[in-house]
Amino acid sequence: MSEVPIPAHFVLVHGASHGGWCWYKIRCLLESIGHKVSCPDLASSGIDPSDADTIFTFQEYNKPLHDILTSLPAHEKVILVGHSAGGQNLTDAIYNFPEKVQVAVFVAAKMLRNGSQTEQDINEASGFLLLENLIRLQTTKYGTMVMEKGVTILQLDCTLAAMLLRPCPIRALSEAMFTDDKDSDKVRRVYIKTLHDNMASLEFQESMIKKWPPSDVYTIDSDHCPMFSNPSQLF
């Protein structure tokens, strides 16, 4: 916390099919100690009016985040936090706006230096999207039950997600590719591993960390969505 000025500006980026709404617990906790928090809806997500079937490129999908970073006052930097497929949005942002990002925090997130460049990358990206779209099936299974090793999802969170999840532009996300430059590695990256993740396995998370080592790696006692199941530790 000594490295985080108050107020800092956090920009929380959701994963596929979610929206800014998924960060409501973390936003409240951050704002309660004086931080500024932005939770954008990416194109066709949350209350954004776009239809996922009309979003064909990653640039279109990520435009709301670009708009936030473009509109920042001179010399202001933000702390970017991305969940799951939202890690791709962070990668794009640190390549295009390295001077605007104090640190990028990847929470069980897709973290590949150049995005989906190979067939393996595309298959892994598709897995992220498929698994995030299966959350409706999971909500019935877990409900208010205590999951393995004490991770809990409340029924109210499951109900909220079931009401607000939307189809995501799979083509735009699965084909996302990035070209980095010397400035991109100046942005500090932090990875938060979710220890009981049934979507992004620990092996997959560790593989991404090995391929593109971040500055710091932390672990959290959580399933794939710590913003719901363990917000206090994520905070």
Side-chain angles (χ1 to χ4, degrees):
M1 289 295 292
S2 61
E3 298 183 34
V4 180
I6 295 181
H9 185 181
F10 286 81
V11 179
L12 311 181
V13 183
H14 62 81
S17 295
H18 290 70
W21 58 267
C22 73
W23 297 103
Y24 75 100
K25 295 179 182 181
I26 301 300
R27 179 171 186 166
C28 288
L29 289 168
L30 288 170
E31 289 181 340
S32 72
I33 60 170
H35 291 303
K36 178 181 179 180
V37 183
S38 299
C39 301
D41 288 321
L42 300 173
S44 75
S45 306
I47 62 172
D48 183 90
S50 306
D51 185 336
D53 289 336
T54 67
I55 307 297
F56 300 116
T57 68
F58 188 79
Q59 288 69 31
E60 293 176 275
Y61 177 68
N62 204 29
K63 185 177 183 300
L65 178 57
H66 272 232
D67 289 345
I68 287 178
L69 297 175
T70 300
S71 66
L72 289 174
H75 309 300
E76 180 178 338
K77 291 190 174 186
V78 299
I79 298 172
L80 285 181
V81 182
H83 172 245
S84 196
Q88 295 186 124
N89 303 84
L90 265 61
T91 301
D92 182 68
I94 65 177
Y95 286 175
N96 286 284
F97 303 94
E99 76 287 355
K100 294 293 187 180
V101 182
Q102 178 180 340
V103 60
V105 182
F106 294 75
V107 182
K110 188 170 179 64
M111 185 179 69
L112 291 175
R113 178 186 288 272
N114 300 117
S116 302
Q117 295 279 4
T118 67
E119 184 176 352
Q120 180 183 1
D121 294 336
I122 293 172
N123 289 338
E124 289 175 344
S126 298
F128 255 87
L129 305 183
L130 173 64
L131 289 167
E132 292 207 8
N133 280 293
L134 287 177
I135 195 169
R136 283 193 177 88
L137 301 180
Q138 294 187 37
T139 57
T140 301
K141 178 179 177 182
Y142 295 135
T144 56
M145 294 174 59
V146 176
M147 297 168 61
E148 183 181 2
K149 299 186 179 180
V151 179
T152 305
I153 293 182
L154 297 177
Q155 183 63 49
L156 61 90
D157 290 330
C158 296
T159 302
L160 179 68
M163 295 172 66
L164 297 178
L165 286 171
R166 294 176 60 186
C168 69
I170 292 179
R171 174 181 171 183
L173 273 73
S174 62
E175 297 180 359
M177 293 185 290
F178 314 110
T179 302
D180 62 335
D181 56 35
K182 63 183 189 311
D183 289 332
S184 60
D185 279 331
K186 294 180 181 179
V187 177
R188 179 183 173 193
R189 286 176 294 108
V190 172
Y191 200 95
I192 299 179
K193 296 192 293 184
T194 41
L195 295 180
H196 315 301
D197 198 320
N198 292 319
M199 291 188 172
S201 68
L202 266 180
E203 291 77 14
F204 179 43
Q205 296 180 65
E206 289 166 356
S207 172
M208 292 187 292
I209 290 168
K210 183 178 180 179
K211 291 177 182 177
W212 192 21
S215 304
D216 300 279
V217 177
Y218 298 92
T219 60
I220 186 170
D221 189 35
S222 168
D223 54 24
H224 187 61
C225 295
M227 70 282 286
F228 292 134
S229 59
N230 199 348
S232 59
Q233 190 179 358
L234 180 58
F235 166 65

